[in-house]
């Protein structure tokens, strides 16, 4: 059988937008990465349309989480100050 996962579409859309903003991606560039229109991306981010599974899959493969992590400012750890 086919599996189904129920999610709050608006919540997931907001997470998607937050990840895009953290990665400093414009909607146009993010849409190109996901191979969708920027209008569709806007509808997904605002919860106006259900996010298809292929879009979620592409999000993970494009590594937005890695891009987001890379954009977090580096803070020195006091335990290692003077060693690096």
């Amino acid at each position: 059988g086919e599996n189904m996962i129920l999610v709050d579409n608006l919540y997931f859309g907001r997470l998607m937008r937050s990840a895009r903003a953290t990665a400093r991606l414009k909607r146009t560039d993010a849409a190109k990465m996901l191979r969708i229109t920027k209008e569709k991306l806007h509808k997904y981010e605002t919860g106006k349309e259900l996010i298809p599974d292929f879009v979620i899959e592409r999000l993970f493969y494009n590594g937005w989480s890695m891009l987001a992590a890379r954009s977090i400012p580096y803070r020195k750890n006091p335990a290692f100050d003077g060693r690096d």
Side-chain angles (χ1 to χ4, degrees), residues 10-83:
L10 180 58
Y11 177 77
F12 198 86
R14 286 179 178 163
L15 286 176
M16 198 168 149
R17 185 176 189 278
S18 178
R20 178 177 62 79
T22 302
R24 297 186 179 111
L25 288 171
K26 292 187 178 195
R27 185 173 286 129
T28 304
D29 297 329
K32 285 179 187 175
M33 289 175 73
L34 297 172
R35 295 184 300 239
I36 59 175
T37 65
K38 67 178 184 175
E39 292 79 17
K40 276 286 188 191
L41 180 56
H42 178 71
K43 288 179 181 179
Y44 300 150
E45 288 182 345
T46 56
K48 292 180 180 165
E49 279 191 25
L50 290 173
I51 303 167
D53 57 349
F54 74 89
V55 171
I56 294 169
E57 191 174 323
R58 288 177 187 165
L59 274 172
F60 287 108
Y61 284 125
N62 280 316
W64 283 12
S65 57
M66 288 188 296
L67 289 170
R70 200 168 15 143
S71 69
I72 296 170
Y74 171 75
R75 290 192 200 118
K76 282 194 171 189
N77 184 334
F80 296 106
D81 282 342
R83 296 188 205 177

